[in-house]
Amino acid sequence: MIKIEKLRKNFKDNEVLKSISLEIEKGEVISIIGPSGSGKTTLLRCLNLLEIPTSGILGVGDVQVDFRGKAPSKQQKRSIQKFSGMVFQHFHLFPHLAVLENIIEAPMVVQKRKKAEVVEEAEILLQKVGLIEHKDHYPDQLSGGQKQRAAIARMLSLKPEVLLFDEPTSALDPELVGEVLTVIKELSEEGQTMIIVTHEMGFARDVSDRVIFIADGFIVEQGKPSELFTAPKEERTKQFLQKVLVR
């Protein structure tokens, strides 16, 4: 479904990703963990081509892009960004649109779909994320958790094959984290392919098929949550987990 080979990303002289190779299968839930500045978010953004890798090969669905010496074509970029959808830390809802309007905007404008059909689907999604009663509210009338759930519904409205979550709870007050994680967990139980950058170790342990630990631009270790969290093989992984896991 997704295959990455020797992917690198530089920002001028700063090499953030250093030869990342990874394969992700349909229906997998992958959590990416690691210290701040390790390259987690950059990797996620490269998968959606919000950042263009410096070198390496990215295969997404039926599209493969070789970044050695050339940029992706407009068609390749469009296909990859249609294949996956990003849910950001800070929601990125349109402040001048009500919740329902936020969700129907892209299917109508980008996909040229009929309004009645899109509204019907949007209301089903709002029911799914527990926001149907807030469909006519504006973003500034919502809590942080409600905004993030609306952002998830908006991305689901485009029916991407893969959902990419960039620390979806990091901007939330602690008491609001659970409601967002519950929605993501329900999606995982439905077989939705997801790649989640997260600092919520308990959530990563409960929901993931595989956990990937990244440090200093490299994949240091990966494995099943039961293995990586209880018996990590690499010293760098052990050091990180000792600092973040609650004893």
Side-chain angles (χ1 to χ4, degrees):
M1 193 174 202
I2 296 177
K3 186 174 182 179
I4 308 162
E5 297 180 51
K6 298 180 179 179
L7 204 72
R8 296 177 180 268
K9 175 60 181 176
N10 292 9
F11 292 98
K12 295 185 178 180
D13 295 331
N14 182 23
E15 188 176 30
V16 178
L17 296 180
K18 305 169 184 176
S19 197
I20 298 285
S21 294
L22 180 64
E23 290 190 40
I24 296 159
E25 301 297 332
K26 182 176 177 62
E28 265 198 300
V29 178
I30 306 290
S31 287
I32 302 176
I33 64 172
S36 298
S38 59
K40 305 185 301 295
T41 292
T42 299
L43 175 58
L44 208 64
R45 291 175 66 86
C46 283
L47 295 181
N48 194 246
L49 296 187
L50 293 173
E51 298 288 351
I52 304 301
T54 304
S55 65
I57 298 172
L58 173 63
V60 176
D62 297 327
V63 180
Q64 180 171 292
V65 185
D66 187 338
F67 297 98
R68 290 174 293 191
K70 58 182 178 180
S73 68
K74 289 183 179 179
Q75 181 58 45
Q76 287 175 323
K77 191 170 184 180
R78 191 178 302 117
S79 296
I80 287 175
Q81 292 183 336
K82 181 181 178 181
F83 191 87
S84 60
M86 179 85 82
V87 178
F88 300 92
Q89 294 180 36
H90 297 288
F91 328 125
H92 290 193
L93 296 173
F94 297 115
H96 62 290
L97 297 180
V99 170
L100 182 65
E101 293 170 328
N102 260 283
I103 294 171
I104 67 174
E105 177 82 358
M108 288 176 57
V109 174
V110 178
Q111 298 177 338
K112 310 298 183 185
R113 296 174 60 199
K114 294 180 180 179
K115 183 174 182 179
E117 176 187 326
V118 172
V119 167
E120 182 179 350
E121 289 184 4
E123 290 182 341
I124 292 171
L125 288 172
L126 286 171
Q127 191 77 47
K128 184 187 189 76
V129 300
L131 286 178
I132 190 64
E133 295 178 358
H134 300 274
K135 69 177 184 178
D136 296 321
H137 292 184
Y138 287 84
D140 65 0
Q141 297 174 296
L142 304 178
S143 69
Q146 290 169 337
K147 290 177 185 176
Q148 192 60 288
R149 286 185 280 146
I152 293 171
R154 181 178 63 178
M155 191 50 62
L156 289 171
S157 73
L158 292 170
K159 302 180 181 179
E161 294 287 334
V162 180
L163 287 179
L164 309 174
F165 290 90
D166 183 17
E167 299 200 15
T169 62
S170 67
L172 304 180
D173 292 333
E175 64 267 26
L176 301 176
V177 168
E179 64 191 58
V180 173
L181 296 184
T182 296
V183 171
I184 298 174
K185 189 169 185 178
E186 289 171 354
L187 290 172
S188 75
E189 292 168 352
E190 294 170 5
Q192 174 71 55
T193 309
M194 295 187 284
I195 306 171
I196 309 164
V197 170
T198 184
H199 59 273
E200 299 283 346
M201 297 299 127
F203 174 72
R205 181 163 39 199
D206 292 343
V207 79
S208 308
D209 296 304
R210 186 159 35 121
V211 177
I212 296 171
F213 173 60
I214 291 182
D216 304 317
F218 291 102
I219 293 178
V220 177
E221 186 170 353
Q222 59 180 301
K224 295 179 180 179
S226 59
E227 297 169 354
L228 190 137
F229 283 114
T230 58
K233 298 174 183 176
E234 301 296 329
E235 185 59 34
R236 183 67 183 87
T237 314
K238 293 175 184 177
Q239 292 172 0
F240 174 77
L241 293 176
Q242 284 172 355
K243 292 179 181 177
V244 299
L245 290 180
V246 177
R247 297 294 179 180

